[in-house]
Structures are given as C-alpha cells and as structure tokens.
Amino acid sequence: MQLAKRKKKPKADASLPLINIVFLLLLFFLVAGQVSEKLRDDIEPPLSTLLEKGQPPQKGVFISSTGDVFFNSIRISAIDVATMSRADAGATKARCLAKCPIRIIADHRLEAVTLTKLLKKIRQGGAKDLMLVTVKGTKQ
Amino acid sequence: MHIAPVRSPRKKLSMTPLVDVIFLLLMFFMLSSTFSKYASLELGRTTDVNESPAQTSTSQTGGKAVFVTISPQGKVQVNGTPVVLSALVSKLNALHEAGARAIIIVPKRGANVQNLVSVVERTRTSRIKVVSIAN
C-alpha cells in the first residue's frame, strides 16, 4: 500500500516576531521623535521651566561658552550673522526671506554680559527678530 | 496521452528585502530624532528700548522702571534688595501695584546665560509687561 506523501506545510518564518518588534520600534520613533539638526556637542542650551514648548531648532546661530559665534559650523563674526542667515534662508527656502527669526543657541555657561554684547552686534548687522533657544526642563 | 497542465509553483513572498528596508528606516529615525523639548525665548525686535532702556521705558509707559540685577551665581536683586528667585514674581507684582510699569534686567559680570534665562522667563509671567535687557 502506498500512502500519499504528506505535503510539507511551509513553516512560518521564525523571524516574524522579530519583524513585528522592529515595526513597533519604527512606529514609536516615527511618532515620538522629532527630527532636528544635530546641536553641537560643546553647546548646551539653558534650561527653562516656564516657557511654552516650541519647535526644535532647525537652523541657528551657535554661541559657545567662550563667546565664539558659529553659523553652519563656521566661525563668523557677530556682525555678519544677519547677512549670512538671510543669504542661507534665501538659498534654501524662499518663504523664509528676511522675516524669519534668527534662532540663537547659546551655551548656558556663557557670560550674560558677553551674550548681550553679541546680541547688540547681531542687531547692528541688521537682524530684527531674535530668539534664544532653551531646553524645557523640570528643574534648574 | 494525457499531459498534466504545468502548475506554476506559487512563489512565497520573500521577507528579506522588506525587513532590510524596515531596519534602515528604523536606524534613520533612531539616529535623527530628538526627545528634548525645546522652547524659545523671544528677545524682542530692534527698538530703541535696547539703546537707552531707562529713558525710553519711562517715557513710553509713564511708570517707574524696576531694575533687576543678576549677580554671579544667579543672585537676584530688585532695585538693590536681594530677592530669592522663587519670590521674584510676587515681588514684581507688588511693585506693579506700587506703579512700576517696566523691568530692566541688568546682568552683572559673572552671571551666565542660564541665570539670565531663569530671570527673564520669570519676569515674563509677572504683571509688568515691558521687559528689557540692558546691554
């Protein structure tokens, strides 16, 4: 007597649970994370508790704790900030011409006096609208 | 002669390329996303308030100006009297009752940006609405 050969059922792939988890992780990062420009490692913005949450900085002027001004990771003079960010905004996005606020990402250890001096220079260069970026924290 | 029709074997959908792409997407989002919550402090538009704060604020508002001085280590003085940071807003509101209408923040040498931000964000919640930073 010849028995019909039992057809082998294809086994479900063992990697399916793994893929499920990876999918979940992907969804988590998609929903919870916000894409932002990498901040410089040497610059930590000051903490704030009372300010309302805003967008992560996409483009900004970095001021290190020693008072050096960086734009697009090039060290520049404070007086050129307005011109350079205007040129940059014009080159990348037409909607952001001259009116966009300039985001300033200053290190929290920077002397306040140095910051106000630099802000004065940035304004002398023609900047109108300045924003100081802070990180929302729970304690200071 | 009977020839059985050739049954095309159904190919199993290959998972590998799909998984590869998902892994790449996962890597991208893991590396590029940030979880810190950012806020921004408006530093105001260019006005002559920044040039000569005391003069303009008194002439604009017709009220007295309060001087908030920030000393090293974030010690705060309101019109020369030391005030704890947590009591700053109530002190300013009391001065508002007494007729003060403008705040001028004067950072001293040794005070850092963190101290400045802490003071500025608190003064923004007080009833005195004109806040300027002296430079």
Side-chain angles (χ1 to χ4, degrees):
Chain A
M1 192 172 72
Q2 198 187 6
L3 287 176
K5 250 188 192 165
R6 202 181 258 182
K7 232 187 180 176
K8 246 192 192 168
K9 257 194 184 169
K11 249 192 186 171
D13 207 340
S15 58
L16 275 176
L18 171 77
I19 300 164
N20 280 341
I21 301 295
V22 173
F23 247 125
L24 285 179
L25 278 172
L26 178 65
L27 284 181
F28 170 72
F29 279 101
L30 264 168
V31 172
Q34 286 174 300
V35 180
S36 86
E37 197 189 6
K38 176 91 183 75
L39 298 185
R40 290 173 62 96
D41 289 330
D42 55 334
I43 292 172
E44 282 175 45
L47 290 178
S48 65
T49 45
L50 306 168
L51 297 172
E52 277 175 29
K53 189 186 154 243
Q55 290 293 311
Q58 299 295 341
K59 198 98 206 177
V61 178
F62 291 91
I63 305 178
S64 75
S65 54
T66 48
D68 298 319
V69 184
F70 296 91
F71 188 75
N72 282 344
S73 45
I74 309 162
R75 201 184 149 187
I76 60 167
S77 156
I79 208 118
D80 300 327
V81 165
T83 338
M84 288 198 74
S85 61
R86 212 171 290 162
D88 195 73
T92 51
K93 278 172 199 159
R95 68 181 164 88
C96 194
L97 214 68
K99 283 204 90 181
C100 264
I102 297 174
R103 288 170 193 280
I104 292 164
I105 301 130
D107 192 90
H108 69 286
R109 289 158 294 194
L110 175 71
E111 284 252 339
V113 184
T114 320
L115 179 73
T116 53
K117 272 183 194 154
L118 288 170
L119 290 178
K120 197 176 179 184
K121 265 194 189 165
I122 292 172
R123 286 205 174 95
Q124 278 170 0
K128 291 270 188 298
D129 215 351
L130 299 178
M131 302 269 244
L132 187 71
V133 173
T134 63
V135 174
K136 265 191 86 67
T138 45
K139 52 175 188 200
Q140 288 182 19
Chain B
M1 195 167 75
H2 179 74
I3 300 171
V6 182
R7 251 177 96 191
S8 58
R10 210 192 208 172
K11 257 195 181 166
K12 227 187 125 201
L13 187 69
S14 169
M15 275 287 178
T16 323
L18 174 77
V19 179
D20 280 352
V21 172
I22 292 169
F23 255 119
L24 283 179
L25 280 172
L26 181 66
M27 284 289 153
F28 171 74
F29 281 103
M30 273 176 80
L31 296 177
S32 67
S33 55
T34 169
F35 292 96
S36 330
K37 303 280 180 229
Y38 291 96
S40 44
L41 186 68
E42 278 175 48
L43 292 169
R45 285 151 210 276
T46 321
T47 48
D48 43 1
V49 175
N50 295 303
E51 298 305 315
S52 51
Q55 220 180 3
T56 30
S57 24
T58 40
S59 61
Q60 270 177 354
T61 57
K64 283 186 288 175
V66 185
F67 284 87
V68 178
T69 320
I70 313 170
S71 310
Q73 279 94 48
K75 293 194 183 97
V76 183
Q77 291 176 314
V78 176
N79 284 342
T81 353
V83 168
V84 196
L85 200 58
S86 49
L88 181 64
V89 178
S90 48
K91 173 84 180 165
L92 289 173
N93 285 339
L95 285 166
H96 177 85
E97 298 295 312
R101 289 295 176 268
I103 301 170
I104 295 149
I105 299 168
V106 188
K108 288 261 175 77
R109 191 157 284 285
N112 61 25
V113 173
Q114 179 63 70
N115 306 139
L116 182 67
V117 168
S118 308
V119 170
V120 172
E121 65 173 353
R122 277 174 178 78
T123 55
R124 294 263 162 109
T125 58
S126 77
R127 266 180 240 138
I128 308 177
K129 287 300 163 211
V130 183
V131 180
S132 49
I133 303 167
N135 52 16

